Amino acid sequence: MSESRHVPVMLQRCLDLLAPALQGPDAVVVDCTLGLGGHSEALLARFPDVRLVALDRDKEALRLSGERLAPYGERATLVHAVYDELPEVLRRLGVARVQGVLFDLGVSSMQLDEADRGFAYAQDAPLDMRMDQTTGVSAAEVLNTYPPGELVRILRAYGEEKQAKRIVSAIVREREKEPFSNSARLVELIRDALPQAAKRTGGNPAKRTFQALRIEVNGELSVLERAIPAAVKALDVGGRIAVLSYHSLEDRLVKQVFAAGAAITAPPGLPVVPERYQPRLKLLTRGAELPTEEEIAENRRAAPARLRGAERIREDVE
């Protein structure tokens, strides 16, 4: 595997956002999406006193990044877990609070590049798309067994696909002849199903359908809905969280959690706002920050990235 193909997205900016929280001697930072370990390695290198806890649901990613992070010895603890399991992981490790949390919600370059995983529409592969291949239903099972209405809902909600009905009609017609097993057949079917005008915009016409299937197969949005509030809760006062999203559904979810944490929740008209209604979070980014043109030129996978950061500024008061 070539190291060169794995370029962590917005790396410097993520490190700078987290830096003020990671200066202490006992700081713990959590990389909730270890992948190939690019962000984790940079965190360990830049903050020599920091202890890293890194999660991934993909056993192959854990093996490869374990080799990469081996020089850091006991400073790095790698855990096979989905990121909404963070509270349980920290409890097992005896870590009460953490000073930094990083999420990079992109599909790792390894998953996109390993042909047999079926994430990429650019090459033919079995339609699997499970990040943890030991559990759950594959993309092929979703395509072959879900009722048409449910497929339309998934394509619209998770892929923001305007032509969902047209694509699903074609899928249902084709799966009756022969169940789906490989990605090339699905890509071809989508190309044939779409009207000419829809093919002229926004890259590969299969992109939105593949995104929708991936989110459904891995339960990504429901996992994220639990994970972001849990990560905020795990932060010490002064602790910071940085989240890289790659499509509007993820970004919206992160934005909502951060905005709720940064809001005053008191009923209007109180002359003094009691502490329990004060914001728990301070936003560190104005809206979502985007990668620079230089970065996109170097790493095309950075193009859709959106970065948001927040700092925990007070404890929860019941």
Side-chain angles (χ1 to χ4, degrees), residues 20-33:
L22 300 181
Q23 306 301 337
D26 301 314
V28 177
V29 65
V30 183
D31 184 345
C32 286
T33 45

Side-chain angles (χ1 to χ4, degrees), residues 137 141-151 154 172 175 216:
V137 299
E141 286 175 74
V142 170
L143 281 174
N144 294 328
T145 63
Y146 276 32
E150 187 65 359
L151 285 174
I154 288 165
V172 170
R175 78 184 184 186
E216 171 64 19

Side-chain angles (χ1 to χ4, degrees), residues 281-299:
L281 293 179
K282 179 176 84 180
L283 303 182
L284 301 172
T285 44
R286 289 180 65 106
E289 288 187 10
L290 312 181
T292 61
E293 284 174 24
E294 296 79 40
E295 182 171 8
I296 293 169
E298 275 173 33
N299 178 12

Side-chain angles (χ1 to χ4, degrees), residues 137 142 146 150-151 153-154 158 210-222:
V137 299
V142 170
Y146 276 32
E150 187 65 359
L151 285 174
R153 184 191 67 77
I154 288 165
Y158 299 160
F210 273 66
Q211 172 183 300
L213 287 169
R214 195 195 83 217
I215 290 172
E216 171 64 19
V217 164
N218 295 293
E220 285 173 46
L221 284 176
S222 49

Side-chain angles (χ1 to χ4, degrees), residues 146-201:
Y146 276 32
E150 187 65 359
L151 285 174
V152 170
R153 184 191 67 77
I154 288 165
L155 263 56
R156 278 190 185 144
Y158 299 160
E160 300 176 282
E161 173 56 79
K162 295 184 178 71
Q163 305 290 335
K165 272 195 157 158
R166 210 179 263 246
I167 291 169
V168 169
S169 299
I171 287 169
V172 170
R173 194 171 60 242
E174 282 300 310
R175 78 184 184 186
E176 281 169 7
K177 297 178 196 167
E178 188 190 336
F180 283 90
S181 60
N182 273 46
S183 58
R185 181 174 166 219
L186 178 59
V187 172
E188 198 179 325
L189 174 144
I190 292 166
R191 277 190 207 283
D192 292 346
L194 291 181
Q196 272 315 110
K199 290 184 212 179
R200 283 197 288 271
T201 54

